[in-house]
């Protein structure tokens, strides 16, 4: 039987990885621009690129986004977004998954390989330091810049009492 | 009945070649890039994403370029594209209270935790055409970064301020939305065609992808008295929210990316009914991108469509959900309206013959009683 992403027991294999930490790096990789990942990839990953087995080659599809009535009530379907996913296995057996917004296959492939490398004790620290931390810092800087711009447009309205006499 | 025609391939090819030439415009002027459309016509991109019901900026910008700026044509292209993609699944609902806001205002509450943040807005501009924009290079003057406000709160209150409508929660004077049993288990009108009566979730989905102009006019009609609403803009916010999805192979939620949305919570007077005390009620709008007119119109129409649930008198067009929802989709609407220009030669021929027969009978002596009937 051909082993696919649906037949492997990923949950058991990654039981050793802290789920919260994995959620954090997967979020950073999903929210990063593919060009930014590619740039770090070139220096941090490419020199010792692992052998990659594609369990599920990158494919683009959609996820239906949802909101809540009134922001806090019942769920409703807002509209779809494009998402590209990919699953890989490295030589040491670690399995990486990626679901990233947009249609870039390269983005999903890099994110899946990095997810696998981040689960391998041998490469985790190097990838965290060399890829995730710089991407996270860039994202934090972008948020901070937006916060500063927003602060610049904060306004105090005063209610004026109109007297007719 | 529509009877198909064939032929004309050469003429159609030539028409499409000419279309491509017209799209390109004056060859002496550089071609528009998709990146330029994405960055500089971003509100057009937002509208195409919202009504195309697919969040993908680059795709929407490409559709706008291909459609020569005809946004409904671009929306049509996006809708057609989405049918070629498989659906991985449903995301978790976005948490708009955690939105990284670029703009957040309330017209009902003056002093808010986090403050009123104008963001990049057309409000308070003078609507005078800036002729400087017609001369490249001159517009950079206005592009200076806004000044820093050293007194601004540095913490998350500004970045993701608390929801305004929750401020009156303690007194119970403003209806608070809570998930019902089954968390709504929302119907999906892209999988199951709308049937009536539609529940709130299906209505919100239909409105979210509905035509902005149509919803604007319907919302306006409620303000003018066709279905009385007396709304206040409780809160309008715009910014980015994270989208979380639970891949079956992982079993826990992961962020797949961020999307920009605009949210509008209108608060409306409600005099109360036998079951419910007098309180403010809500109309809700949520749209992809920066679409305040869309989100506000959606909220007005959502509130009007809640009339039945709230036991209010129904009589205005905006309160009639079958009328409102069956005509909100501009791709459906344009398909049916514009199909009239396709060849209908056989239909017309048969109707022409019918009219000829009726006319002959009408003109035949002794048929005067028919003439009298027709005149009545």
């Amino acid at each position: 039987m051909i082993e696919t992403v649906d037949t492997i027991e990923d949950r058991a294999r990654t039981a050793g990885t802290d789920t919260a930490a994995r959620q954090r790096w997967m979020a950073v990789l999903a929210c990063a621009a593919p060009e930014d990942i590619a740039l770090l990839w070139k220096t941090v990953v490419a020199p010792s690129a692992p052998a990659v087995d594609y369990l599920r080659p990158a494919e683009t599809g959609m996820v239906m986004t949802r909101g809540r009535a009134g922001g806090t009530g019942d769920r409703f379907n807002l509209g779809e977004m494009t998402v590209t996913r990919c699953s890989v296995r490295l030589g040491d057996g670690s399995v990486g998954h990626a679901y990233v917004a947009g249609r870039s296959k390269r983005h999903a492939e890099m994110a899946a390989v990095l997810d696998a490398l981040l689960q391998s004790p041998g490469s985790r620290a190097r990838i965290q330091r060399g890829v995730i931390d710089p991407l996270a810092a860039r994202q934090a800087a972008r948020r901070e810049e937006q916060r500063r711009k927003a602060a610049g447009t904060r306004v105090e309205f005063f209610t004026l009492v109109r007297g007719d006499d | 009945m529509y009877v198909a025609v064939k032929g004309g391939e050469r003429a159609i090819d030539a028409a499409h070649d000419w279309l491509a030439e017209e799209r390109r415009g004056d060859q002496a002027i550089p071609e528009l890039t998709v990146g330029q459309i994405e960055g500089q016509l971003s509100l057009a991109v937002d509208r195409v994403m919202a009504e195309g019901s697919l969040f993908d900026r680059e795709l929407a910008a490409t559709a706008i370029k291909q459609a020569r700026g005809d946004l409904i044509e671009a929306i049509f292209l996006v809708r057609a594209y989405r049918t070629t993609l498989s659906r991985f699944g449903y995301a978790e609902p976005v948490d708009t209270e955690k939105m990284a806001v670029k703009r957040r205002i309330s017209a009902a509450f003056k002093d808010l935790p986090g403050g009123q943040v104008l963001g990049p807005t057309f409000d308070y501009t003078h609507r005078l055409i800036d002729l400087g924009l017609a001369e490249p290079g001159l517009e950079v003057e206005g592009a200076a970064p806004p000044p820093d406000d050293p007194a601004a709160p540095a913490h998350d209150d500004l970045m993701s301020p608390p929801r305004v409508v929750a401020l009156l929660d303690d007194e119970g004077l403003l209806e608070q939305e809570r998930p019902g049993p089954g968390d709504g288990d929302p119907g999906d009108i892209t999988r199951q065609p709308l049937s009536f009566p539609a529940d709130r979730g299906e209505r919100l989905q239909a409105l979210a992808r509905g035509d902005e102009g149509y919803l604007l006019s319907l919302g306006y009609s409620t303000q003018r008295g066709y279905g009385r609403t007396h709304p206040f803009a409780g809160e309008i916010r715009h910014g980015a929210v994270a989208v979380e999805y639970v891949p079956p192979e992982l079993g826990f939620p992961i962020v797949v990316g961020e999307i920009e949305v605009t949210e509008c919570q209108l608060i409306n007077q409600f005099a109360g009914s036998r079951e419910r005390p007098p309180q403010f009620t809500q109309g809700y709008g949520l749209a992809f991108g920066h679409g305040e007119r869309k989100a506000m119109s959606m909220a007005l129409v959502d509130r009007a469509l809640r009339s039945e649930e709230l036991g209010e008198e129904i009589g205005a067009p905006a309160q009639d959900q079958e009328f409102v929802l069956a005509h909100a989709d501009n791709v459906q609407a344009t398909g049916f309206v514009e199909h009239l220009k396709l060849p209908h030669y056989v239909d017309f021929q048969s109707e022409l013959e019918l009219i000829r027969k009726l006319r002959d009978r009408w003109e035949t002596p002794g048929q005067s009683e028919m003439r009298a009937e027709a005149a009545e």
Side-chain angles (χ1 to χ4, degrees):
Chain A
M1 181 179 163
I2 300 165
E3 203 174 35
T4 70
V5 73
D6 301 315
T7 58
I8 49 167
E9 197 33 82
D10 186 61
R11 280 174 230 193
R13 200 187 289 279
T14 60
T17 303
D18 172 14
T19 300
R22 191 169 178 202
Q23 284 170 315
R24 272 195 298 277
W25 74 58
M26 288 181 96
V28 168
L29 289 168
C31 295
E35 312 84 71
D36 291 346
I37 304 177
L39 212 62
L40 296 163
W41 179 278
K42 218 188 274 177
T43 53
V44 181
V45 183
S48 54
V52 176
D53 182 13
Y54 286 92
L55 298 171
R56 179 164 55 201
E59 74 173 305
T60 298
M62 298 179 297
V63 164
M64 174 61 94
T65 69
R66 285 176 158 172
R68 289 188 179 279
T72 50
D74 283 335
R75 298 173 298 174
F76 70 93
N77 294 305
L78 174 62
E80 286 152 323
M81 66 189 286
T82 53
V83 171
T84 302
R85 66 181 176 187
C86 180
S87 297
V88 299
R89 180 172 31 211
L90 307 185
D92 69 354
S94 53
V95 171
H97 297 293
Y99 281 77
V100 298
R103 287 167 294 126
S104 167
K105 293 199 159 77
R106 188 68 194 127
H107 187 178
E109 287 165 1
M110 290 187 295
V113 172
L114 290 165
D115 179 48
L117 286 171
L118 283 156
Q119 290 171 71
S120 304
S123 49
R124 180 171 180 178
R126 178 169 58 90
I127 302 297
Q128 179 71 39
R129 229 184 10 255
V131 180
I132 302 300
D133 291 349
L135 291 175
R138 181 178 280 247
Q139 287 164 22
R142 211 182 52 217
R143 275 192 205 102
E144 174 57 20
E145 192 198 338
Q146 187 187 310
R147 192 199 63 76
R148 278 188 21 233
K149 282 186 183 166
T153 67
R154 238 160 59 95
V155 65
E156 299 284 347
F157 286 114
F158 298 99
T159 308
L160 301 178
V161 180
R162 271 199 309 201
D164 287 335
D165 47 0
Chain B
M1 189 185 70
Y2 183 74
V3 181
V5 290
K6 58 185 278 184
E9 288 87 349
R10 235 164 40 106
I12 290 169
D13 283 347
H16 290 169
D17 288 346
W18 196 1
L19 171 70
E21 196 185 315
E22 290 282 320
R23 170 169 54 233
R24 176 59 185 86
D26 184 352
Q27 298 273 348
I29 294 172
E31 185 178 341
L32 260 181
T33 67
V34 167
Q36 285 171 337
I37 295 170
E38 218 182 304
Q40 296 173 50
L41 297 178
S42 56
L43 298 182
V45 170
D46 287 345
R47 181 164 180 188
V48 169
M49 292 196 303
E51 293 167 35
S53 202
L54 184 64
F55 195 99
D56 188 318
R57 305 200 73 86
E58 188 191 54
L59 199 65
T62 309
I64 290 169
K65 179 174 177 174
Q66 184 178 333
R68 304 171 62 194
D70 178 338
L71 297 189
I72 291 184
E73 181 72 19
I75 289 159
F76 199 160
L77 293 171
V78 168
R79 290 274 187 93
Y81 182 87
R82 70 163 281 284
T83 65
T84 66
L85 297 177
S86 60
R87 166 88 67 82
F88 295 156
Y90 291 91
E92 301 296 298
V94 292
D95 185 351
T96 49
E97 192 161 16
K98 289 198 186 133
M99 182 188 297
V101 300
K102 288 167 89 170
R103 171 166 166 79
R104 185 272 196 139
I105 54 161
S106 172
F109 298 90
K110 190 162 64 72
D111 302 305
L112 304 165
Q116 310 257 2
V117 176
L118 295 183
T121 181
F122 290 126
D123 295 354
Y124 312 110
T125 62
H126 293 113
R127 266 76 182 205
L128 299 174
I129 291 184
D130 178 0
L131 295 171
L133 291 172
E135 295 176 56
L138 286 189
E139 78 266 34
V140 289
E141 220 173 290
D148 274 9
D149 176 3
H155 54 84
D156 287 347
D157 240 19
L158 182 70
M159 202 63 194
S160 302
R163 197 178 287 288
V164 169
V165 299
L167 295 177
L168 284 186
D169 194 10
D170 291 348
E171 294 175 84
L173 296 180
L174 203 159
E175 170 197 44
Q176 301 293 318
E177 303 266 10
R178 318 254 190 242
D183 203 2
D185 192 20
D188 183 350
I189 64 169
T190 67
R191 293 292 143 119
Q192 216 74 52
L194 260 179
S195 61
F196 300 101
D199 63 29
R200 180 112 183 261
E202 291 164 327
R203 294 191 321 242
L204 288 170
Q205 184 181 11
L207 297 176
R209 62 194 344 240
D211 183 78
E212 178 175 314
Y214 173 77
L215 297 180
L216 174 67
S217 295
L218 279 175
Y220 180 43
S221 74
T222 68
Q223 288 182 284
R224 289 192 66 251
Y226 290 86
R228 204 183 72 91
T229 56
H230 189 79
F232 293 94
E235 182 169 12
I236 295 168
R237 53 168 76 195
H238 161 64
V241 288
V243 176
E244 288 190 329
Y245 169 66
V246 182
E249 62 271 29
L250 287 175
F252 56 80
I254 57 168
V255 172
V256 299
E258 282 184 327
I259 58 172
E260 290 208 315
V261 293
T262 305
E263 181 184 50
C264 173
Q265 288 184 274
L266 291 183
I267 51 185
N268 298 63
Q269 277 179 14
F270 175 59
S273 64
R274 201 164 301 174
E275 290 80 29
R276 300 173 70 140
Q279 64 174 177
F280 288 109
T281 55
Q282 288 195 44
Y284 187 66
L286 186 64
F288 282 158
H290 194 182
E292 274 170 43
R293 190 184 303 116
K294 168 66 184 272
M296 293 178 78
S297 303
M298 176 175 169
L300 282 171
V301 176
D302 171 51
R303 177 59 184 80
L305 292 176
R306 295 185 62 203
S307 298
E308 189 174 356
E309 164 205 337
L310 294 168
E312 294 169 331
E313 196 183 325
I314 296 175
Q319 296 169 312
D320 179 341
Q321 61 159 282
E322 189 160 347
F323 178 82
V324 170
L325 301 177
H327 303 112
D329 190 297
N330 57 22
V331 176
Q332 278 174 9
T334 204
F336 203 51
V337 168
E338 292 200 56
H339 102 284
L340 292 175
K341 67 191 172 184
L342 301 176
H344 280 71
Y345 307 130
V346 177
D347 309 56
F348 184 67
Q349 199 59 41
S350 70
E351 294 211 7
L352 189 61
E353 263 157 46
L354 179 66
I355 289 285
R356 274 206 185 102
K357 266 186 219 149
L358 291 173
R359 176 62 77 93
D360 284 348
R361 274 169 55 191
W362 191 80
E363 285 169 351
T364 306
Q367 298 285 328
S368 53
E369 69 281 4
M370 183 191 157
R371 204 176 302 189
E373 258 171 52
E376 272 166 23

